[in-house]
């Protein structure tokens, strides 16, 4: 829960979302409202026997919504505080952990540096354990260093540690309860080469919970391979932990110490430049991922400085996987950009990540990040930033059925975009206004907005925008009963998507056109379109959308009196929903039962 450390604690909302996803709730079915999300979590856990571990908690308030709805579940909460509220209100049992007993601390040393060496100098080993305060983290750091210096006696090591503690106590203005562990950190840090010390200090400037060697390289102004060499050495002395290839994390106490050393040894200007390099790395890497996933999404003039090594994504799935891995770091980087006054990066980063948050249904991140982007853009009076953020906030508000807010954001985005001559933002903001009108029962007004958006896109030569506007026009004509016109506009949109190779938009366009065909009683054409959409979603590996298409196709086949084919499509949809743990399996199973 990141309750203690340099970064912000993890919110209960983010943790709830992660738990629900881990319990196989489809992202698009996770509620936005906190109370509804909590209710769903407690419902899902009510019939299960689970052990839930909530580590590094700052307060009872941080985890109260994460308590399950079943007496068959065990919750283990770890914290540096006593969490008295949980004992009083939830009836929790407090288990206080002390430091290791001295004998156990000596045994931990022996496991790393060898029984023979410890037995030969038992008194010195006990002295080392006492200098470490019998704290496991400090003991591991010291033991690893002792193992790497086999010709140094334990007595000499104990003497070095004692002198380091004396030095720190002489510098301290007051008694420091963490003096033992800080002495161990200082002793280890001072033994590092100067360049490795600098890399260690760079870790303190990284805001997220774990990190790649590439971003530490950006922070330290080194190539990724150089940074990884240093991190490998830091891992060998237990100052960081390698968790996968070129990916690391470190204990929050060590991160605090790295930040402290940076404050003492590096000038503020140097630290700000380092942070900016790290933020630029996240921005550029996120934009590379955006282009791999949604090549026709909004492209921004990026903030470029030093040359950074960023990823080159081979396909959309690898880019999505990277986004999932780095999501917590991207959000932490956004907060850090605001804290350090890097407002030009702070508004760009959410816009670049917009499609990822929407596609993976990270609703809280989607909205809050764009609210931050708007605040950053307004702070520096950046018109492009304001228009971009408002267009994204319009989409977010529309998704949540907050139509007045959506319309307000879209209108302002379109107004600014027209002034600064940005047809991409203007066209999609105007189209958004039409979507709001459609959802509020005003298809005639919606059509005028869609037509205006089409003209903006065509004038700018934006083919995908033109296709999206045509698809929306088809929807408004369908609502007005002009089915022939609706088919014409939708087919024109599909032609555009085929010409530019945008198969993702093509699949959703096929779904929309199939609805028009059903309305026009052209069931064969509807089935033909749905077959193609299923194939595209299958190629993308989008199993939920594939299942949705299959269920839609089964409905059309039933209307067409083709019960065996309908049963086949429903069975295929059910297999997918059950494999994903999707609750929509219940409805599909009921439909299959009706067919016999």
């Amino acid at each position: 829960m990141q309750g203690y450390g340099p970064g912000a604690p993890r919110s209960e909302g983010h943790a709830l979302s992660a738990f629900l996803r881990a319990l196989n709730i489809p992202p698009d079915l996770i509620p936005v409202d906190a109370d509804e999300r909590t209710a769903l979590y407690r419902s899902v856990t009510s019939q299960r026997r689970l052990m839930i571990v909530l580590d590094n908690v700052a307060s009872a308030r941080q985890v109260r919504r994460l308590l399950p709805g079943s007496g068959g579940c065990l919750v283990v909460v770890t914290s540096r505080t006593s969490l008295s509220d949980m004992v009083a209100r939830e009836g929790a049992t407090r288990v206080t952990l002390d430091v290791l007993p001295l004998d156990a601390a000596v045994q931990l040393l022996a496991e790393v540096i060898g029984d023979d060496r410890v037995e030969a100098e038992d008194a010195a080993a006990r002295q080392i354990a006492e200098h470490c305060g019998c704290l496991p983290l400090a003991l591991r750091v010291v033991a690893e260093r002792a193992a790497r210096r086999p010709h140094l006696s334990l007595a000499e090591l104990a003497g070095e540690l004692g002198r380091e503690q004396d030095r720190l106590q002489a510098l301290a203005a007051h008694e420091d309860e963490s003096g033992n562990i800080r002495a161990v950190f200082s002793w280890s840090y001072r033994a590092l080469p100067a360049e490795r010390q600098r890399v260690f200090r760079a870790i303190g400037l990284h805001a997220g919970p774990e990190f790649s060697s590439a971003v530490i390289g950006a922070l330290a102004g080194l190539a990724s391979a150089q940074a990884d060499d240093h991190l490998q050495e830091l891992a060998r002395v237990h100052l960081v932990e390698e968790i996968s290839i070129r990916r690391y994390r470190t204990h929050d106490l060590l991160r605090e110490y790295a930040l402290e050393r940076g404050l003492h040894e590096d000038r503020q200007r140097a630290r700000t430049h380092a942070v900016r390099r790290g933020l630029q790395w996240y921005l550029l890497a996120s934009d590379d991922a955006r282009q791999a996933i949604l090549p026709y999404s909004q492209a921004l003039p990026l903030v470029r400085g030093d040359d950074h090594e960023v990823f080159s994504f081979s396909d959309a799935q690898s880019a999505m996987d990277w986004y999932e891995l780095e999501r917590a770091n991207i959000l932490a980087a956004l907060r850090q950009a605001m804290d350090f006054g890097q407002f030009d990066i702070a508004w760009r980063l959410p816009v670049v990540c917009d499609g990822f948050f929407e596609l993976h249904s990270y609703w809280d991140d989607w909205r809050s990040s764009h609210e931050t982007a708007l605040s950053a853009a307004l702070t520096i009076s950046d018109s492009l930033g304001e228009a971009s953020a408002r267009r994204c906030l319009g989409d977010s508000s529309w998704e949540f059925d907050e139509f007045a807010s959506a319309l307000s954001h879209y209108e302002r985005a379109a107004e600014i975009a027209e002034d600064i001559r940005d047809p991409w933002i203007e066209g999609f903001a105007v189209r958004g206004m039409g979507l709001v009108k459609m959802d509020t029962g005003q298809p005639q007004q919606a059509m005028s907005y869609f037509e205006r958006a089409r003209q903006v896109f065509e004038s700018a030569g934006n083919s995908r925008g033109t296709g999206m506007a045509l698809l929306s026009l088809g929807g408004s004509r369908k609502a007005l009963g002009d089915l022939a016109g609706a088919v014409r506009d939708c087919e024109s949109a599909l032609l555009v998507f085929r010409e530019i190779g945008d198969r993702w938009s093509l699949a959703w366009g096929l779904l929309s056109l199939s609805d028009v065909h059903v309305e026009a009683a052209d069931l064969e054409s509807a089935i033909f379109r749905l077959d193609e959409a299923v194939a595209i979603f299958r190629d993308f590996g989008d199993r939920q959308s594939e299942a949705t298409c299959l269920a839609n196709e089964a409905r059309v086949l039933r209307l067409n009196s083709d019960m065996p084919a309908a049963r086949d499509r429903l069975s295929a949809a059910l297999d997918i929903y059950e494999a994903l743990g999707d609750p929509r399996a219940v409805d599909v199973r009921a439909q299959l039962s009706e067919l016999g």
Side-chain angles (χ1 to χ4, degrees):
M1 297 299 292
Q2 300 167 212
Y4 294 90
R10 184 184 299 274
S11 73
E12 57 185 11
H14 282 112
L16 270 175
S17 177
F19 279 176
L20 287 168
R21 288 166 190 262
L23 292 165
N24 293 322
I25 300 301
D28 58 327
L29 297 185
I30 296 175
V32 176
D33 180 78
D35 290 337
E36 291 179 8
R37 190 178 298 182
T38 303
L40 176 59
Y41 170 67
R42 289 180 176 161
S43 173
V44 169
T45 58
S46 63
Q47 302 301 317
R48 303 196 188 199
R49 291 174 58 81
L50 301 168
M51 182 174 80
I52 299 165
V53 182
L54 304 170
D55 181 51
N56 194 9
V57 170
S59 67
R61 182 178 181 182
Q62 191 186 11
V63 297
R64 196 152 268 138
R65 289 182 181 271
L66 304 176
L67 302 180
S70 169
C73 295
L74 171 69
V75 182
V76 178
V77 180
T78 72
S79 179
R80 294 188 200 173
T81 60
S82 61
L83 300 180
S84 301
D85 284 358
M86 295 195 75
V87 175
R89 291 182 55 178
E90 279 78 29
T93 300
R94 182 187 296 123
V95 179
T96 302
L97 297 182
D98 203 347
V99 297
L100 289 174
L102 184 58
D103 287 343
V106 172
Q107 182 58 39
L108 179 56
L109 287 173
E111 287 177 7
V112 180
I113 65 178
D115 291 331
D116 294 344
R117 196 172 171 192
V118 167
E119 288 173 4
E121 294 187 80
D122 181 69
R126 288 176 175 273
Q127 191 176 8
I128 289 172
E130 289 172 346
H131 283 317
C132 292
C134 292
L135 294 164
L137 175 62
L139 287 162
R140 291 292 301 186
V141 171
V142 171
E144 188 61 37
R145 187 167 174 201
R148 291 164 64 87
R149 303 169 73 188
H151 303 298
L152 197 66
S153 71
L154 297 189
E156 288 172 309
L157 283 170
E160 286 185 10
L161 266 177
R163 287 190 292 275
E164 186 63 27
Q165 284 183 327
D166 292 341
R167 185 183 73 84
L168 290 179
Q169 287 173 4
L171 293 173
H174 55 80
E175 186 67 21
D176 185 355
E177 63 179 10
S178 63
N180 294 106
I181 202 164
R182 290 181 72 258
V184 171
F185 293 165
S186 177
W187 176 67
S188 300
Y189 171 78
R190 280 151 57 84
L192 298 173
E195 187 74 345
R196 198 156 299 147
Q197 288 182 350
R198 194 166 70 82
V199 171
F200 179 73
R201 295 197 301 274
I203 293 170
L205 295 175
H206 185 266
E210 57 183 57
F211 44 86
S212 65
S213 53
V215 73
I216 296 302
L219 285 160
L222 297 172
S224 175
Q226 290 177 291
D228 197 61
D229 288 342
H230 287 298
L231 289 167
Q232 289 280 342
E233 290 301 315
L234 290 172
R236 289 190 182 97
V237 296
H238 281 271
L239 293 180
V240 300
E241 177 189 358
E242 186 175 17
I243 56 177
S244 61
I245 297 175
R246 294 182 292 279
R247 196 163 189 85
Y248 303 84
R249 66 183 171 208
T250 192
H251 195 284
D252 57 316
L253 291 174
L254 279 162
R255 287 184 65 217
E256 289 175 5
Y257 181 72
L259 183 60
E260 175 189 306
R261 293 320 315 152
L263 290 168
H264 279 84
E265 298 181 36
D266 300 320
R267 293 183 177 180
Q268 177 63 49
R269 183 174 181 178
R271 288 187 289 113
T272 300
H273 282 316
V275 167
R276 185 169 179 82
R277 288 195 301 269
L279 295 173
Q280 286 173 327
W281 185 89
Y282 276 115
L283 177 62
L284 295 173
S286 297
D287 194 61
D288 282 353
R290 174 195 65 81
Q291 293 178 63
I293 299 166
L294 297 167
Y296 297 100
S297 56
Q298 183 180 4
L300 294 173
L302 297 181
V303 182
R304 297 190 179 274
D306 301 338
D307 291 334
H308 293 322
E309 300 172 74
V310 295
F311 292 106
S312 178
F313 299 98
S314 57
D315 53 34
Q317 188 57 55
S318 64
M320 274 294 196
D321 292 343
W322 180 85
Y323 265 131
E324 283 288 355
L325 187 64
E326 295 288 358
R327 182 174 67 95
N329 286 331
I330 290 170
L331 294 172
L334 178 58
R335 291 190 295 269
Q336 188 178 46
M338 294 296 288
D339 291 342
F340 275 76
Q342 306 297 306
F343 301 116
D344 54 341
I345 295 179
W347 77 254
R348 283 175 168 84
L349 190 56
V351 175
V352 163
C353 298
D354 175 68
F356 164 70
F357 290 139
E358 182 179 7
L359 288 175
H360 275 212
S361 303
Y362 285 113
W363 306 126
D364 289 344
D365 300 342
W366 193 29
R367 167 168 287 183
S368 64
S369 65
H370 288 311
E371 288 172 344
T372 300
L374 179 59
S375 175
L378 291 173
T379 299
I380 57 176
S381 301
D382 190 310
S383 296
L384 175 60
E386 181 182 353
S388 299
R390 286 193 184 279
R391 196 273 309 168
C392 293
L393 282 168
D395 288 350
S396 172
S397 298
W398 173 68
E399 183 71 35
F400 301 148
D401 294 338
E402 298 170 357
F403 298 126
S405 175
L407 195 60
S408 174
H409 283 304
Y410 283 139
E411 287 174 343
R412 180 59 181 150
E415 179 184 343
I416 297 171
E418 186 176 11
D419 287 343
I420 64 175
R421 298 183 180 179
D422 190 312
W424 195 99
I425 297 176
E426 182 184 357
F428 277 104
V430 170
R431 176 176 173 268
M433 293 154 67
L435 294 174
V436 171
K437 295 299 182 182
M438 280 291 292
D439 284 351
T440 52
Q442 304 171 75
Q444 191 67 55
Q445 291 186 39
M447 185 180 291
S448 65
Y449 283 114
F450 295 146
E451 180 58 35
R452 176 183 158 192
R454 185 188 64 78
Q455 292 172 7
V456 170
F457 286 131
E458 284 189 347
S459 297
N462 185 329
S463 296
R464 182 179 180 273
T466 299
M468 296 302 291
L470 284 167
L471 204 59
S472 298
L473 274 168
S476 60
R477 292 190 197 281
K478 173 177 173 285
L480 290 167
D482 180 6
L483 299 182
V487 169
R488 183 182 64 251
D489 284 339
C490 288
E491 287 181 338
S492 296
L494 297 186
L495 182 61
V496 171
F497 297 145
R498 291 186 199 279
E499 287 176 347
I500 64 176
D502 186 357
R503 298 184 74 232
W504 182 262
S505 297
L506 175 62
W508 289 108
L510 288 163
L511 266 177
S512 297
L513 181 53
S514 71
D515 287 341
V516 180
H517 285 316
V518 170
E519 190 80 11
D522 185 358
L523 301 181
E524 293 295 335
S525 294
I527 294 166
F528 176 74
R529 302 298 187 180
L530 286 165
D531 276 338
E532 187 179 359
V534 167
I536 294 173
F537 284 129
R538 189 173 292 149
D539 287 345
F540 269 95
D542 185 349
R543 303 197 72 199
Q544 283 186 7
S545 296
E546 179 187 345
T548 299
C549 282
L550 287 166
N552 279 7
E553 191 171 1
R555 176 177 58 85
V556 179
L557 287 163
R558 290 179 71 177
L559 291 173
N560 206 35
S561 301
D562 189 348
M563 301 308 170
R567 189 179 298 108
D568 176 68
R569 302 301 193 279
L570 283 173
S571 295
L574 180 61
D575 288 344
I576 295 173
Y577 281 143
E578 287 185 335
L580 297 175
D582 193 312
R584 284 173 285 197
V586 175
D587 180 57
V588 173
R589 194 179 297 110
Q591 292 180 51
L592 269 172
S593 179
E594 287 178 18
L595 289 175

